[in-house]
Amino acid sequence: MTLLDIVNNSRRIVFFGGAGVSTESGIPDFRGQDGLYRMKYAVPPETIISASYFHAHPEEFFRFYRDKMLALNAQPNAAHKKLAQWERAGKLLAVVTQNIDGLHQAAGSRRVYELHGSVHRNHCLACKKSYPASFIVRSSGVPRCSCGGIVKPDVVLYEEPLDGEVIEGALAAIASADTLIVAGTSLTVYPAASFVSYFRGENLVLINRDPTPLDGQCTLVLHEKVGQVLGALPSYLPEDTP
């Protein structure tokens, strides 16, 4: 059975994606050969993007955050665009993503569960006022609200819990899917990796450059680039119908 066969026969697809979905947009992943976790820093990146380090060393955190985690010029790739088309065609229920780049929404997807938050949302820790990502870019040092409070990105740092409402929506979508496409993720980051266990549908598809712990449980496994794979499939919009 091919991926085209599976998608053609599916009516309730849910896409679960990780960093590998955005690498084709020029955003580096964390664990790959050229990923952030392989770069040499005086303090390991895993430590820098932890809640305790953020509160203890905010200037160092924001220096790293602006340099390595903001990619506001990145554009959606073929994977993001195809998923948005499937949603408009009524074939895709939702996107569940571990990414914080907002590229699914930029491509037109509306039902997106961002497990780890988004760089595009920021708020003052004191008064809760909201700020766009451009405010973080234009500021220097520790970004400060008009009230004087620190403006923190709405991204989930190490040591912080995931948002309960986002988890509930993501799990409900996965549980109601007839096909779950897991793509661009090593499935080693928990609790997100455990979400796949809620799938009760017919076809479990894995698209990832490298093998994962899930490979042996899937209907179909493709060790290829996500954008290349999805970009070759139909959009299922009315103009594509013979």
Side-chain angles (χ1 to χ4, degrees):
M1 181 179 294
T2 67
L3 180 56
L4 179 59
D5 293 330
I6 292 173
V7 174
N8 278 338
N9 293 313
S10 300
R11 295 295 177 267
R12 301 186 309 280
I13 299 172
V14 168
F15 181 87
F16 180 97
V21 178
S22 293
T23 53
E24 289 168 86
S25 293
I27 299 178
D29 62 12
F30 278 71
R31 292 173 173 78
Q33 184 174 354
D34 298 317
L36 293 179
Y37 288 173
R38 291 180 180 264
M39 297 180 182
K40 301 300 182 183
Y41 294 92
V43 179
E46 301 98 312
T47 300
I48 297 175
I49 55 177
S50 66
S52 56
Y53 192 89
F54 167 82
H55 291 290
H57 307 283
E59 287 196 9
E60 289 81 357
F61 169 87
F62 278 105
R63 186 179 299 114
F64 179 88
Y65 180 80
R66 290 189 185 95
D67 186 37
K68 298 298 182 182
M69 298 184 69
L70 283 178
L72 302 184
N73 293 324
Q75 298 297 315
N77 61 50
H80 301 106
K81 294 175 183 177
K82 188 55 57 74
L83 293 169
Q85 292 169 355
W86 287 359
E87 183 182 43
R88 293 201 303 273
K91 203 168 188 68
L92 182 108
L93 286 179
V95 169
V96 179
T97 180
Q98 295 171 276
N99 296 336
I100 59 176
D101 50 48
L103 291 181
H104 286 292
Q105 291 92 332
S109 290
R110 296 186 176 184
R111 193 177 183 188
V112 182
Y113 295 102
E114 296 174 305
L115 299 180
H116 297 154
S118 172
V119 299
H120 296 282
R121 298 188 301 271
N122 306 269
H123 71 280
C124 173
L125 293 177
C127 72
K128 309 304 180 186
K129 181 179 178 180
S130 297
Y131 288 88
S134 58
F135 176 81
I136 304 294
V137 174
R138 292 195 304 266
S139 62
S140 59
V142 179
R144 295 280 180 177
C145 174
S146 54
C147 78
I150 295 177
V151 177
K152 178 186 179 295
D154 287 348
V155 299
V156 179
L157 304 177
Y158 284 111
E159 304 165 350
E160 291 182 332
L162 303 185
D163 181 273
E165 290 187 7
V166 173
I167 292 176
E168 183 177 349
L171 293 181
I174 290 172
S176 63
D178 58 7
T179 291
L180 178 63
I181 300 177
V182 180
T185 174
S186 61
L187 293 171
T188 57
V189 177
Y190 285 83
S194 65
F195 285 19
V196 179
S197 64
Y198 286 79
F199 177 62
R200 296 292 182 268
E202 184 177 353
N203 296 299
L204 179 58
V205 176
L206 182 100
I207 308 170
N208 195 56
R209 181 187 60 190
D210 302 314
T212 78
L214 194 67
D215 285 21
Q217 305 172 40
C218 295
T219 309
L220 179 68
V221 175
L222 299 171
H223 289 153
E224 302 176 41
K225 292 183 177 180
V226 183
Q228 290 181 358
V229 172
L230 296 189
L233 297 175
S235 68
Y236 299 99
L237 291 170
E239 59 265 28
D240 290 348
T241 304

